[in-house]
């Protein structure tokens, strides 16, 4: 089976490429390298001892896109912009890339009669939770343009399926992906100052940043700091394999990919100190605008429909993040 992977050079994409190649799939990666590098794909080849086709192109270039997917059987769609703050400042760029880009992709798929797609959505579509853990039928609403693009694409996919029930569509709602491949060859390589907790902590541990700002210690959580469902990126990548396997029959299904366990910011700091053997300096700062107190998944639907559960612990997530950070102190360079 040949899988067309948009955004396959990115953080989650590269780990999924490894998973697919290790399991005998053929892949074609299509990426404009706006937030990634060819080096990451070379490293996928090193890890798997396999080579594959990669094409430098934008998903909004419908002709190149359509020609590039000839002969593929299914699509995994990672390509998109993902920084919440930036999406507030540049909403048009986000709608164009994430929504218009996906429309181009779906048209190109129709042209090639490829009707199987796995889409990267996010737990951000649940907004501020009304109840926890989050089940897939929790009301959907978002608080920023990035989240809105995910929700709009989900709706487009549901409408597409309603119009043509031959489609096989899996919408995966990721919680907080962290960690890296155990080889330390691929991992998260954020440009500039990291927005997310785990890469920021890793940079403090290695001395690139002086201290972590803990955004708020007065939330209604057990220690007052924000609680999230961190999931190892290799577990997440494995979830994509299971999603493809579950798409043997037509459907349009949304599924949470999380562990079901929430950890606070201070718990992550402590776990990282143990994994790295380094002290993580931090100071308590005001809450970050738009943040919620707690967010974690009900992972049962994934277990039932995908026969998948996250396996890796917070300790492993920290260990593998640290391994990637120490082996690549300046990312892919
Ligand atoms: P990433 O930025 O590392 O990967 C995205 C890839 O898409 C990059 O390689 C980038 O160059 C490429 N890309 C962007 N726009 C493109 C375009 N117009 N044409 C072609 N390629 C394009 O991000 P990631 O963390 O790997 O996330 C992958 C997907 O998962 C994204 O859609 C993201 O919104 C979603 N997601 C990520 C997280 C997270 O925390 N990492 C959480 C929930 C959902
Ligand atoms: C962020 C995004 C969300 C996206 C998710 C996964 C925002 C507002 N939301 O969510 O849309 O789906 O990433 O990639 O950006 N924290 C600190 N100090 C830091 C960084 C974070 O204390 O320097 C805290 C946060 O307040 C939060 C927790 O750490 O409680 C996790 O933050 P982060 O990694 O940014 O993820 P989310 O806020 O869950």
């Amino acid at each position: 089976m040949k899988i067309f992977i948009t955004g396959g050079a990115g953080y989650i994409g590269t780990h999924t490429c490894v998973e697919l190649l290790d399991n005998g799939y053929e892949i074609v990666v299509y990426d404009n390298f706006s937030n990634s590098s060819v080096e990451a794909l070379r490293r996928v080849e090193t890890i798997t001892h396999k080579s594959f086709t990669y094409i430098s192109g934008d998903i909004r270039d419908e002709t190149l896109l359509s020609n590039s997917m000839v002969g593929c059987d299914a699509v995994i769609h990672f390509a998109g912009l993902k920084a919440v703050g930036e999406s507030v400042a540049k909403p048009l760029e986000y709608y164009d890339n994430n929504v218009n880009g996906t429309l181009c992709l779906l048209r190109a798929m129709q042209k090639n009669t490829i009707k199987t797609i796995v889409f990267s959505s996010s737990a951000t579509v649940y907004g501020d939770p009304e109840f926890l853990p989050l089940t897939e039928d929790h009301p959907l609403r978002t608080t920023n343009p990035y989240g809105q693009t995910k929700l709009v694409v989900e709706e487009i996919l549901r409408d597409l399926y309603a119009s043509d029930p031959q489609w096989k569509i899996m919408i995966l709602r990721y919680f907080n992906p962290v960690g890296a491949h155990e080889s330390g060859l691929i991992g998260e390589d954020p440009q500039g100052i990291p927005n997310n907790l785990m890469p920021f902590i890793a940079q403090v541990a290695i001395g690139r940043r002086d201290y972590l700002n803990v955004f708020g210690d007065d939330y209604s959580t057990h220690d007052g700091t924000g609680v999230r469902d961190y999931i190892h990126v290799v577990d997440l990548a494995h979830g994509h394999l299971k999603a493809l396997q579950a798409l043997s029959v037509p459907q349009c299904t949304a599924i949470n990919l999380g562990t079901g366990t929430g950890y606070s910011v201070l718990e992550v700091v402590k776990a990282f100190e143990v994994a790295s053997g380094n002290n993580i300096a931090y100071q308590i700062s005001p809450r970050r605008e738009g943040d919620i107190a707690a967010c974690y998944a009900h992972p049962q639907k994934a277990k039932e429909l995908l026969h998948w559960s996250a396996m890796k612990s917070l300790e492993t997530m920290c260990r593998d993040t640290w391994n990637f950070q120490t082996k690549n102190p300046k990312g892919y360079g």
Side-chain angles (χ1 to χ4, degrees):
M1 204 175 174
K2 197 168 182 179
I3 315 297
F4 188 76
I5 308 179
T6 74
Y11 173 46
I12 304 169
T14 44
H15 290 82
T16 304
C17 289
V18 169
E19 194 69 32
L20 293 173
L21 290 167
D22 280 350
N23 283 279
Y25 288 83
E26 272 185 81
I27 62 170
V28 173
V29 168
Y30 187 94
D31 200 302
N32 67 0
F33 300 104
S34 58
N35 195 36
S36 54
S37 65
V38 174
E39 174 60 18
L41 294 176
R42 288 198 201 104
R43 293 185 183 196
V44 169
E45 294 185 324
T46 304
I47 292 169
T48 59
H49 307 290
K50 287 184 179 148
S51 56
F52 55 90
T53 305
Y54 31 97
I55 296 155
S56 176
D58 196 292
I59 50 170
R60 291 162 296 181
D61 181 346
E62 212 170 309
T63 308
L64 178 62
L65 182 69
S66 180
N67 293 338
S68 302
M69 65 173 67
V70 170
C72 291
D73 303 292
V75 171
I76 304 183
H77 179 32
F78 293 110
L81 302 176
K82 62 165 183 176
V84 172
E86 189 184 56
S87 80
V88 175
K90 300 175 179 172
L92 301 185
E93 228 173 89
Y94 271 68
Y95 282 105
D96 188 41
N97 211 315
N98 295 4
V99 179
N100 182 31
T102 303
L103 288 173
C104 293
L105 176 67
L106 295 171
R107 278 194 297 265
M109 288 176 70
Q110 267 181 333
K111 198 171 159 199
N112 286 282
T113 31
I114 303 170
K115 293 190 175 182
T116 303
I117 183 169
V118 177
F119 171 63
S120 301
S121 188
S122 165
T124 195
V125 297
Y126 297 121
D128 197 350
E130 280 175 19
F131 57 81
L132 289 167
L134 286 156
T135 50
E136 287 81 356
D137 57 6
H138 183 283
L140 303 180
R141 57 167 166 246
T142 59
T143 52
N144 57 71
Y146 165 70
Q148 196 61 30
T149 66
K150 291 293 173 194
L151 193 46
V152 170
V153 170
E154 283 203 11
E155 298 298 354
I156 290 170
L157 291 170
R158 284 187 270 272
D159 288 342
L160 180 62
Y161 178 70
S163 76
D164 177 359
Q166 286 180 348
W167 277 80
K168 299 170 176 176
I169 301 172
M170 198 65 81
I171 294 166
L172 299 179
R173 295 183 182 145
Y174 312 153
F175 281 69
N176 289 56
V178 296
H181 189 263
E182 62 175 0
S183 63
L185 283 171
I186 55 171
E188 191 170 13
D189 181 21
Q191 308 300 307
I193 301 171
N195 293 312
N196 297 117
L197 180 65
M198 191 68 93
F200 201 103
I201 290 181
Q203 293 194 3
V204 175
I206 206 157
R208 262 176 85 178
R209 317 252 163 227
D210 292 338
Y211 59 88
L212 169 75
N213 282 303
V214 174
F215 297 140
D217 67 348
D218 56 354
Y219 285 108
S220 57
T221 60
H222 58 277
D223 65 12
T225 65
V227 166
R228 296 291 185 275
D229 186 338
Y230 298 95
I231 174 167
H232 197 294
V233 66
V234 171
D235 275 336
L236 194 68
H238 188 231
H240 290 75
L241 185 79
K242 301 302 268 183
L244 276 178
Q245 289 167 354
L247 284 179
S248 54
V249 287
Q251 61 190 292
C252 179
T253 312
I255 299 191
N256 289 337
L257 292 187
T259 66
T261 303
Y263 289 104
S264 73
V265 175
L266 294 181
E267 284 169 334
V268 177
V269 168
K270 284 213 169 54
F272 208 95
E273 286 184 330
V274 172
S276 66
N278 288 351
N279 180 49
I280 313 290
Y282 68 84
Q283 70 171 29
I284 305 297
S285 307
R287 291 181 178 195
R288 180 172 66 180
E289 207 186 315
D291 267 0
I292 53 179
C295 172
Y296 48 92
H298 199 306
Q300 189 59 25
K301 195 172 173 189
K303 206 172 188 173
E304 280 167 16
L305 299 186
L306 305 186
H307 311 292
W308 170 92
S309 304
M311 305 299 288
K312 294 181 186 288
S313 65
L314 180 63
E315 288 66 32
T316 306
M317 300 178 209
C318 294
R319 183 200 69 197
D320 291 341
T321 302
W322 181 236
N323 184 37
F324 179 73
Q325 182 70 61
T326 48
K327 287 188 171 147
N328 308 272
K330 291 183 177 153
Y332 290 116

